[in-house]
Amino acid sequence: MNLKFTTFIILLFNLAAFSQDAELTATVSKNKLGVNQRLRVEFAINKQGADHFKAPNFKNFKIVGGPSQSVSQSWINGKSSFTQSYTYIIKPLRKGEFNLPSASIQFNGKTLKSKPVKIIVTDPVAIPKNPNDPDYIAEQNIHLVAEVSKAKPYVGEGIYVEYRLYFSNNVGIYDNAVTESPQYIGFWNQEIKGNGSQVKTATYNGEQYRYAVLHKALLIPTKSGKLTIDPMKMDILVAVPTGRADFFGNAITRRVRKEYSSARKTVFAKELPTENKPESFTGAVGDFTYALTSSKNVLKANESSTLKLSVAGKGNLKLFELPKIETPKELEVYQPERKEKVRITSSGLKGSITDNYTVVPEFKGKYKIPKTEFSYFNPKEKKYYTISTEDLFVDVTEGKELPVDTSNTPVQKQNVTITGKDFRFIQTSTTLATQSNTNFFKSIPFYILLLLPLISIPIAIFIGKKKDERNADIIGNKSRKADKLAKKYLAEANKQLGNKEEFYEALERALHNYLKAKLRVETSDISREKISELLRDKNINDSTISDFIEVLKSCDFARYTPFTDVQMNSEFEKAKQVIIQLDKQL
């Protein structure tokens, strides 16, 4: 019974092994290398029984190792695999682009050939004295890369940035952490959530790598010109081979911790064209539809109806204003209720934004709601589009009649009627009386002025002592001085409370002006990272620096999102306290 079962398993194994087509493949450790570097070439066939392997003519290369032959066979989850490989270590003889010719092998009476491989040989590259240095190996086999979908978008056009971690098969990653997240100054940004960091394969710098997407964000430029995306920095624990093996032939690795940083990326945001720009354009960029509808066109007085103003499509849906509707004064219209159904994808924002107006008529009649216009710019077609709605009519069939305006009726001329109180005679007699004279001497004011110097002396002594105590209170004086300084710099922002755009611009300007005065540097042209570094050099504690940077971030973020007066007051008080804390420590 056991013999039969074993025979059955062997037959299944052989059947699975021969179900695939035989193929001879050629793989290289890298497609691009310096003339002073080496290259590993492996030729592998996936079928057992192949023989008479013939290596290619390594013209323009010198064989410095090999061929080494290996065979591997496995059975995993019901699937078998077989590999027979021939490996060479070669070194280029000169610079240039070369095609590595095909190798061949005999299998079942047929000759199988590998595909040619393109190799690019460049100038000599810097190689450390010890090529097996773990730090060098980790640096050469792991790359943190930021990839931007479009380098020259229009203002308001959505693009995305994707941070990929490329790592070769020669190393392993055991731990990683983001030490510094990228900053998107000049962009409205939103993270695009993925389905986990799935490992994929791709070619990077001409070589095969595995990679994982660590972070992806949607970016919409809010201003034109050169915009910079700061690098992402990571701390990674890497396992690198030592070139030695244990008793069982397994490679021995060594773990090293290294910091990696993506390259700084630059985006050139183009200004929207001014030619043929509609008057109704409010900043919408993308591809949209627009509609104005009414839930009821016929209703009674005091019965409500809903006007639905909707924009749908793909683009910067959260960064423009919807048109306002105009209604007759006889219709009572409430403030619109905003409804947003927007989702974030790698290709931009998709969905709809709707303003729902509640209309309640008071009088009987037929009223017209004039048509509205919505304009947007399509970045793909590079042109503006305007969508107009039709006039809407609301017919109120029952209710009070509209009162007639009598303000324009002719004025009737009337004779003046004398009532006896319109005109009076001039008075001819008086009732004047002599005013009494009083002496100042020994009067109440006299005694008050006499005693005033005696009373003022102890008051002056008391005030002087209080002033000395206040001057001795160094911490209190510093706090009062800092509070006064904060009010001075934030005076303009305080005036703009309630006006979102002007308030946050004034708040950000106040913070930069304060640092400019205190640090004697121009802070408006440097990054938040540099500001943090300057404050640390002045021995400012980390919590105060963090609060200062947080207020700057809020100023940048709040311009493009709805903010209430309560939030603005909160940000004002937070900025005031930050300046007070900074002034105490500077």
Side-chain angles (χ1 to χ4, degrees):
M1 179 69 181
N2 291 335
L3 180 61
K4 290 182 179 180
F5 180 75
T6 303
T7 305
F8 178 70
I9 293 297
I10 294 174
L11 288 174
L12 282 178
F13 182 85
N14 290 332
L15 180 63
F18 283 96
S19 62
Q20 299 175 348
D21 293 333
E23 184 181 12
L24 180 63
T25 58
T27 57
V28 294
S29 58
K30 57 180 69 179
N31 294 85
K32 186 177 181 180
L33 72 160
V35 72
N36 59 336
Q37 292 182 297
R38 296 182 176 184
L39 180 69
R40 185 180 72 253
V41 185
E42 182 181 86
F43 301 96
I45 186 169
N46 58 347
K47 292 295 182 179
Q48 189 175 5
D51 202 358
H52 302 295
F53 173 77
K54 184 178 180 181
N57 180 12
F58 291 103
K59 186 180 179 181
N60 301 312
F61 294 91
K62 178 183 178 181
I63 299 176
V64 294
S68 59
Q69 185 174 349
S70 65
V71 175
S72 66
Q73 191 169 359
S74 63
W75 179 277
I76 301 174
N77 295 330
K79 294 183 179 180
S80 67
S81 64
F82 175 85
T83 303
Q84 181 176 331
S85 61
Y86 304 84
T87 305
Y88 294 83
I89 305 298
I90 61 176
K91 179 181 179 181
L93 299 177
R94 59 189 179 88
K95 294 192 306 179
E97 292 188 10
F98 310 108
N99 277 329
L100 202 62
S102 302
S104 64
I105 197 169
Q106 299 292 324
F107 178 74
N108 286 347
K110 296 181 180 180
T111 300
L112 304 178
K113 290 186 177 182
S114 63
K115 294 180 180 179
V117 180
K118 184 179 180 180
I119 306 294
I120 300 174
V121 182
T122 63
D123 291 323
V125 297
I127 299 178
K129 294 181 180 179
N130 180 16
N132 294 321
D133 178 20
D135 286 333
Y136 173 75
I137 296 174
E139 184 177 346
Q140 294 297 311
N141 288 273
I142 295 181
H143 308 278
L144 181 59
V145 180
E147 297 184 357
V148 178
S149 62
K150 192 172 184 179
K152 294 182 178 181
Y154 283 99
V155 173
E157 181 182 2
I159 62 174
Y160 70 85
V161 59
E162 185 175 85
Y163 291 87
R164 293 184 177 185
L165 185 67
Y166 288 93
F167 51 99
S168 71
N169 293 320
N170 299 328
V171 298
I173 295 177
Y174 284 87
D175 185 29
N176 67 87
V178 176
T179 58
E180 187 172 330
S181 298
Q183 299 293 322
Y184 308 116
I185 299 174
F187 295 94
W188 181 92
N189 65 88
Q190 183 69 48
E191 180 183 358
I192 302 173
K193 294 183 179 180
N195 298 323
S197 55
Q198 184 180 2
V199 177
K200 302 177 182 179
T201 58
T203 301
Y204 176 72
N205 284 343
E207 301 179 29
Q208 283 293 116
Y209 280 86
R210 294 173 294 167
Y211 77 90
V213 177
L214 304 178
H215 179 75
K216 194 171 184 179
L218 173 68
L219 306 180
I220 299 178
T222 57
K223 60 181 180 180
S224 61
K226 181 180 177 181
L227 304 177
T228 302
I229 302 174
D230 291 338
M232 172 189 277
K233 295 182 180 179
M234 294 189 68
D235 193 40
I236 302 176
L237 183 63
V238 188
V240 298
T242 60
R244 296 180 290 114
D246 59 15
F247 178 78
F248 298 99
N250 299 318
I252 298 175
T253 61
R254 177 182 173 185
R255 297 184 183 183
V256 294
R257 188 172 291 277
K258 285 190 67 66
E259 185 179 65
Y260 295 84
S261 177
S262 63
R264 189 183 301 271
K265 288 291 184 179
T266 301
V267 173
F268 295 91
K270 297 182 290 185
E271 190 71 56
L272 294 175
T274 56
E275 186 179 358
N276 298 325
K277 188 175 183 178
E279 292 184 3
S280 57
F281 179 73
T282 59
V285 178
D287 191 9
F288 304 102
T289 60
Y290 174 65
L292 173 63
T293 57
S294 175
S295 62
K296 294 180 182 178
N297 293 326
V298 179
L299 62 161
K300 302 176 183 179
N302 299 320
E303 184 181 358
S304 66
S305 173
T306 301
L307 297 179
K308 182 178 178 182
L309 190 73
S310 178
V311 173
K314 183 179 77 172
N316 59 342
L317 281 164
K318 295 188 176 184
L319 301 180
F320 59 83
E321 292 294 329
L322 268 64
K324 302 295 183 183
I325 64 172
E326 296 181 2
T327 59
K329 62 182 180 180
E330 292 79 13
L331 298 178
E332 186 176 359
V333 181
Y334 295 90
Q335 285 294 325
E337 178 188 2
R338 173 66 57 90
K339 289 188 177 181
E340 296 183 358
K341 294 182 180 179
V342 181
R343 67 182 188 277
I344 300 169
T345 67
S346 58
S347 58
L349 297 174
K350 291 183 178 179
S352 64
I353 296 180
T354 304
D355 278 349
N356 291 322
Y357 294 82
T358 300
V359 179
V360 180
E362 186 178 355
F363 302 102
K364 181 180 178 182
K366 190 171 185 178
Y367 306 98
K368 183 177 81 170
I369 299 174
K371 63 181 181 181
T372 59
E373 286 187 352
F374 171 74
S375 299
Y376 66 93
F377 178 77
N378 190 316
K380 291 184 178 179
E381 301 180 13
K382 300 180 181 180
K383 61 185 296 186
Y384 291 96
Y385 288 92
T386 299
I387 305 175
S388 298
T389 61
E390 298 293 333
D391 293 336
L392 289 181
F393 292 91
V394 177
D395 191 5
V396 183
T397 57
E398 296 181 19
K400 295 184 295 183
E401 293 290 339
L402 190 66
V404 179
D405 187 3
T406 60
S407 59
N408 294 324
T409 56
V411 178
Q412 299 293 328
K413 184 177 179 181
Q414 296 180 356
N415 295 324
V416 178
T417 303
I418 299 175
T419 61
K421 296 182 179 180
D422 300 282
F423 300 97
R424 296 177 182 273
F425 293 102
I426 299 174
Q427 190 170 353
T428 58
S429 61
T430 63
T431 56
L432 300 177
T434 305
Q435 292 183 350
S436 60
N437 293 326
T438 56
N439 293 327
F440 176 72
F441 181 67
K442 293 184 179 182
S443 64
I444 294 176
F446 170 78
Y447 287 111
I448 291 174
L449 292 175
L450 184 65
L451 297 174
L452 186 61
L454 298 176
I455 299 173
S456 62
I457 290 173
I459 294 175
I461 294 172
F462 177 78
I463 293 173
K465 287 183 178 180
K466 286 295 182 181
K467 186 175 181 182
D468 292 338
E469 291 177 3
R470 186 168 182 174
N471 291 336
D473 184 11
I474 298 174
I475 296 176
N477 286 335
K478 201 167 186 178
S479 178
R480 284 186 288 273
K481 184 179 178 182
D483 184 69
K484 185 177 180 181
L485 189 66
K487 290 179 180 178
K488 172 187 172 183
Y489 279 100
L490 296 173
E492 182 61 29
N494 191 25
K495 293 179 183 178
Q496 300 297 339
L497 276 170
N499 300 322
K500 186 185 73 173
E501 292 287 343
E502 293 81 359
F503 168 74
Y504 283 103
E505 286 180 5
L507 189 63
E508 186 176 21
R509 187 165 55 250
L511 295 174
H512 281 289
N513 287 340
Y514 171 78
L515 287 186
K516 179 181 178 182
K518 284 292 181 180
L519 304 181
R520 292 183 176 86
V521 293
E522 188 65 45
T523 60
S524 58
D525 296 329
I526 62 178
S527 65
R528 294 170 191 158
E529 181 181 0
K530 185 64 177 177
I531 291 175
S532 300
E533 185 179 337
L534 289 171
L535 293 176
R536 288 192 185 95
D537 291 342
K538 296 292 183 180
N539 296 323
I540 305 298
N541 61 54
D542 291 340
S543 62
T544 304
I545 296 174
S546 177
D547 290 342
F548 187 87
I549 298 300
E550 190 65 31
V551 175
L552 282 179
K553 288 182 180 177
S554 296
C555 292
D556 190 44
F557 178 74
R559 296 177 194 172
Y560 316 111
T561 55
F563 261 63
T564 64
D565 291 349
V566 175
Q567 290 171 302
M568 281 189 270
N569 278 292
S570 176
E571 293 293 346
F572 178 81
E573 290 299 324
K574 189 173 182 180
K576 179 181 174 182
Q577 292 303 318
V578 166
I579 291 180
I580 291 174
Q581 293 300 321
L582 281 175
D583 204 64
K584 288 180 180 179
Q585 300 175 48
L586 284 172

